[in-house]
Amino acid sequence: MEKMRACKIMGIGLPVYLLIAVVTAAAMCIGWLPSGMLGALLVMMVFGGLFNVIGNNLPIVKTYLGGGAIVCIFASAALVYGGLIPEDVVENISQFMNTTGFLNFYIAALITGSILGMDRSLLLKASVRFLPVALCAMTMAVLCVGLAGAATGFGFVDAVMYVAIPMMGGGMGAGVVPLSGMYAEALHSDASVIISRMIPASTLGNVMAIVGAGLLARLGQMRPGLTGNGKLMKKQDSTIGESSGSAVSLETLGIGLILAMFFFLLGTIVGKLIPAVHAYAWMIILVAVSKACGIVPKTFEDSARQWSQFVMKNWTSALLVGIGISMIDLGAVLGALSPMYLLLVFIVVGGVAVGAGAGGHLVGFYPVESAITAGLCTTNMGGTGDVAVLSAAKRMELLPFAQIATRICGALVLIVASLLTRVLF
């Protein structure tokens, strides 16, 4: 009993927190929850904090499966699948996450803060090595799953085009949706029929990537020589997002907020002018160039870093709940659970992780961090998947590299897919 009284969730004592959770749940059930941002963020934060504590205290889950991150995602998805969250609440949270743009808001803060808080030499050295590692690992995984598809009777072309490519396309909106249009045009078919074949691969790949991240984090604990504990490059004293010792103030948080939104705006503008590359990718490039050239003052860099830490500390669990409620379809996952399909998805996820880990080791990366960012983050569902995977691995400071893997590699996959449709279909 004393232990329960001493337990705090997000700084609030357990009895008071449970009271808040019960009142919030009751308001959801009777339809009295406020609409819009207030109601959505309240549900996400309250249940995110609760699920995070539960996951971080479940023996097997906390050790091997990513702890609180995976419980936040899949407990929320299970509540939706079981019909325990009212439809109007699900719709409100989905709108807040996507239409209102809370996901963009979160990712913009972490990308800006992580890159501007990064050692400049690390940024330059790591970036030129990272893309080749990711692309080689993806190529290896595609060939492996194609050969496995041919050997098992699933088919080389089907395994590559309907399993591997949708998993590596950069998520649902940036990957699966445009891919279905490409395939439909090449096959003179209905895009809705094709997308129904792609969604299970993308969703299952996301699930396996999250679980794999938790397992890799555990591997790092068992074999410390394989991991930099959040640091990508070996023989590098500086770490991503290393604290500069400057004091946190309300003013610095405000500066960091403005910088994050401004860089996202710049990425969006360039993305409108050159739409072949996602706005996130342009944002990464612009922030990285600004850092490399020393354009942003040091005080602004510190502000961006502090703002990203504030966002990560207070809203990561909330975001994961939002992902589970609005973006994980457990029905699609369960419907695709055949041994053959699971094997092919596993080959893709395992292939990129092993390939990126080995390739990263050759170019001076820590294998665990390389396998997570240049490997697993190429097979998850876009920005949401990056957050989920890195949360499960407890390495959120690697988000800029994860976004490079997701956005830039995803864009290249779409280009390759457009060429393959003319050759294989």
Side-chain angles (χ1 to χ4, degrees):
M1 184 63 68
E2 288 298 325
K3 187 176 180 180
M4 290 185 64
R5 289 176 181 172
C7 176
K8 290 187 176 183
I9 303 177
M10 298 185 71
I12 301 174
L14 184 60
V16 176
Y17 199 94
L18 290 177
L19 175 62
I20 294 172
V22 169
V23 173
T24 302
M28 289 168 52
C29 293
I30 62 178
W32 289 0
L33 188 75
S35 60
M37 172 182 170
L38 197 155
L41 191 55
L42 175 64
V43 170
M44 290 160 59
M45 289 189 70
V46 168
F47 289 101
L50 186 61
F51 290 153
N52 187 56
V53 167
I54 292 172
N56 286 335
N57 287 278
L58 288 176
I60 296 177
V61 174
K62 74 175 182 179
T63 304
Y64 296 103
L65 300 179
I70 203 161
V71 173
C72 285
I73 294 169
F74 292 107
S76 305
L79 290 176
V80 174
Y81 182 70
L84 299 179
I85 299 181
E87 185 61 36
D88 61 323
V89 176
V90 174
E91 184 178 345
N92 187 41
I93 290 175
S94 299
Q95 185 173 17
F96 176 63
M97 286 285 293
N98 300 300
T99 306
T100 303
F102 181 66
L103 176 63
N104 291 338
F105 180 81
Y106 180 96
I107 291 177
L110 263 65
I111 289 176
T112 306
S114 296
I115 295 179
L116 292 182
M118 188 186 300
D119 178 75
R120 186 173 299 163
S121 63
L122 170 63
L123 175 64
L124 296 173
K125 291 177 182 178
S127 298
V128 297
R129 306 179 195 186
F130 185 84
L131 267 178
V133 170
L135 293 174
C136 289
M138 293 167 70
T139 302
M140 185 187 81
V142 168
L143 292 175
C144 287
V145 79
L147 293 173
T152 57
F154 190 88
F156 182 93
V157 173
D158 282 0
V160 170
M161 301 301 285
Y162 289 101
V163 178
I165 297 295
M167 290 172 62
M168 298 177 176
M172 193 66 65
V176 171
V177 173
L179 282 171
S180 65
M182 292 180 193
Y183 289 18
E185 183 178 347
L187 294 170
H188 305 289
S189 179
D190 187 352
S192 63
V193 175
I194 294 171
I195 201 171
S196 65
R197 295 184 62 184
M198 294 181 173
I199 286 176
S202 180
T203 306
L204 281 171
N206 194 53
V207 172
M208 286 192 185
I210 295 168
V211 175
L215 294 175
L216 282 171
R218 178 59 178 168
L219 175 63
Q221 293 174 356
M222 296 171 61
R223 300 284 299 276
L226 297 176
T227 179
N229 295 310
K231 185 170 67 174
L232 182 63
M233 288 192 67
K234 298 177 182 178
K235 299 179 181 178
Q236 177 67 40
D237 294 331
S238 299
T239 58
I240 298 173
E242 184 180 15
S243 174
S244 65
S246 59
V248 178
S249 69
L250 297 178
E251 184 178 73
T252 58
L253 293 178
I255 294 171
L257 168 60
I258 291 174
L259 279 176
M261 293 190 296
F262 179 67
F263 273 113
F264 184 81
L265 170 63
L266 292 180
T268 302
I269 291 172
V270 179
K272 296 289 186 183
L273 298 173
I274 311 175
V277 180
H278 196 279
Y280 282 159
W282 285 122
M283 180 184 178
I284 293 169
I285 293 169
L286 292 169
V287 179
V289 169
S290 299
K291 173 68 179 182
C293 297
I295 296 173
V296 181
K298 185 66 170 63
T299 54
F300 282 20
E301 291 181 353
D302 290 341
S303 296
R305 178 185 53 79
Q306 290 173 7
W307 171 246
S308 71
Q309 291 176 347
F310 173 85
V311 169
M312 184 169 59
K313 173 71 175 176
N314 290 285
W315 289 330
T316 296
S317 296
L319 184 78
L320 296 174
V321 168
I323 291 171
I325 290 175
S326 65
M327 299 177 185
I328 300 294
D329 185 354
L330 278 188
V333 174
L334 296 173
L337 291 179
S338 69
M340 174 76 68
Y341 206 87
L342 285 173
L343 173 64
L344 295 175
V345 173
F346 175 78
I347 288 173
V348 177
V349 175
V352 293
V354 172
H361 175 69
L362 294 176
V363 301
F365 293 165
Y366 283 102
V368 168
E369 278 70 21
S370 182
I372 292 170
T373 53
L376 297 180
C377 288
T378 63
T379 62
N380 59 35
M381 295 176 68
T384 60
D386 289 339
V387 173
V389 166
L390 295 181
S391 295
K394 297 178 175 61
R395 286 164 170 79
M396 285 299 297
E397 61 268 44
L398 293 174
L399 185 63
F401 293 110
Q403 284 284 294
I404 290 172
T406 297
R407 298 305 174 188
I408 297 179
C409 292
L412 293 174
V413 166
L414 292 182
I415 295 171
V416 171
S418 67
L419 299 175
L420 289 178
T421 55
R422 301 171 187 175
V423 176
L424 300 179
F425 288 160

